[in-house]
Each structure stands twice: as structure tokens, then as C-alpha cells.
Amino acid sequence: MGSVVGDPIKFVLNWGRRYSLWVFNFGLACCAIEFIATSMGRHDFMRLGVIPFAHGPRQADLMVVSGTVTDKMAPAVKRLYDQMPEPKYVISFGACSNCGGPYWDSYSVTKGVDQLIPVDVYIPGCPPRPEALLHGIMKLQDKIAGEQSGLGGVNRTDVKALTAPPVRRP
């Protein structure tokens, strides 16, 4: 009886989350321009239920990291990801955020945003086209629709964060 009542509720909750993604754009380089182009009239990803430019990380469901993540910027990316409420999703947009791009050999470049936070969809390219971001969003929506729980995605609690000693100010 529980699964008969639960399945329609799960479907409705997943459908609502699938078509109302609030995006927190973490634009770090030239890929951010392609993200902005995707939100304009020609491509208009609002027709897919994606609301660009959430007011902040606490109102966002989806973080789009676009551009080169440097070691200096990495703590800010992690901090803002941690401030997002569950369920939260991440799209890595462009070669620089996927693996460091043409700057992979630099001492100051993080070799992919997936070393900091879990990534749900990778979009390759340098810079990737707006159509690629639209395709990645549709793949993420398919992933959300297929989730078992209607109340959120996989619990991604970082065990190291729970067991690490508190950081003290100098």
C-alpha cells in the first residue's frame, strides 16, 4: 500500500524539482559568457524550467561552474556549494572546470572542480556552445526524474568534513 501511495507523490515531487531549477552561476572565465548567451532570447533555457541567476546559494538548486577554478578560488566554490540546500546539483561547464583545460599544467589551477565538489553533469568544450549547456540541463533533468526518493538526491555528506577538527582562527 505504501508504494502505491508513495510512487505518485515521488513522481510529482521529482517533476516539480525537474522543471524548477534555480541556478547559481559560478562564472570564472570565458565560459560564463556562453552561460549568459544560453539564458538570452535565442536559446532561452527558461523554457526548460531553469531559472537563471538565483539570489544566492541558499536559494539555488543547481550550481553551474564555468571557467578555470584556481587553487585560490577553490575554497570559495566549496563554501558556496556547502551553503546550498539539499537536493543540490552541479554542472561542470567547459574544459577548464572539467579538468583544468589548457591551463592544466599550471601550479595554481585546480585539476577539475570534481576534486572539490561532486559533479552531476560534465559539459566539454572550450568554450562549449549554448546548445551543449541545454543538452546538459536536459540530461540533469532526466537524472532528477529517475531519482528514487521524491525528497532529494543522493546524500553526499562528506565524511571528512564531519570528522575533521574545527578550524581555529589565528
Side-chain angles (χ1 to χ4, degrees):
M1 173 99 179
S3 66
V4 174
V5 175
D7 288 341
I9 297 298
K10 288 178 189 176
F11 173 78
V12 169
L13 289 173
N14 283 342
W15 181 85
R17 285 187 303 111
R18 178 181 182 184
Y19 292 114
S20 64
L21 290 171
W22 283 80
V23 179
F24 183 69
N25 182 22
F26 210 94
L28 298 168
C30 49
C31 293
I33 304 302
E34 297 297 324
F35 174 87
I36 293 168
T38 310
S39 66
M40 294 298 156
R42 182 174 204 160
H43 300 287
D44 189 26
F45 61 28
M46 285 185 72
R47 64 189 160 96
L48 297 176
V50 177
I51 298 99
F53 314 120
H55 298 290
R58 292 183 180 97
Q59 290 83 24
D61 305 307
L62 170 63
M63 177 185 275
V64 178
V65 180
S66 53
T68 310
V69 181
T70 60
D71 292 340
K72 189 173 184 177
M73 186 58 76
V77 173
K78 176 74 170 134
R79 184 178 321 116
L80 292 172
Y81 173 79
D82 291 339
Q83 291 178 7
M84 292 172 59
E86 289 286 343
K88 52 190 168 184
Y89 307 98
V90 177
I91 291 179
S92 178
F93 184 57
C96 290
S97 64
N98 289 347
C99 62
Y103 313 108
W104 66 272
D105 200 21
S106 175
Y107 69 93
S108 63
V109 172
T110 303
K111 309 302 186 263
V113 73
D114 56 356
Q115 293 185 359
L116 307 170
I117 57 178
V119 175
D120 295 298
V121 177
Y122 294 91
I123 300 173
C126 184
R129 297 272 308 145
E131 293 87 357
L133 181 56
L134 292 174
H135 182 72
I137 288 170
M138 289 189 292
K139 289 296 179 189
L140 179 64
Q141 288 174 334
D142 292 343
K143 182 177 180 176
I144 293 170
E147 287 179 351
Q148 295 299 316
S149 170
L151 299 175
V154 180
N155 187 6
R156 304 180 191 163
T157 307
D158 189 3
V159 177
K160 290 188 287 186
L162 295 175
T163 59
V167 178
R168 300 184 196 272
R169 289 188 178 262

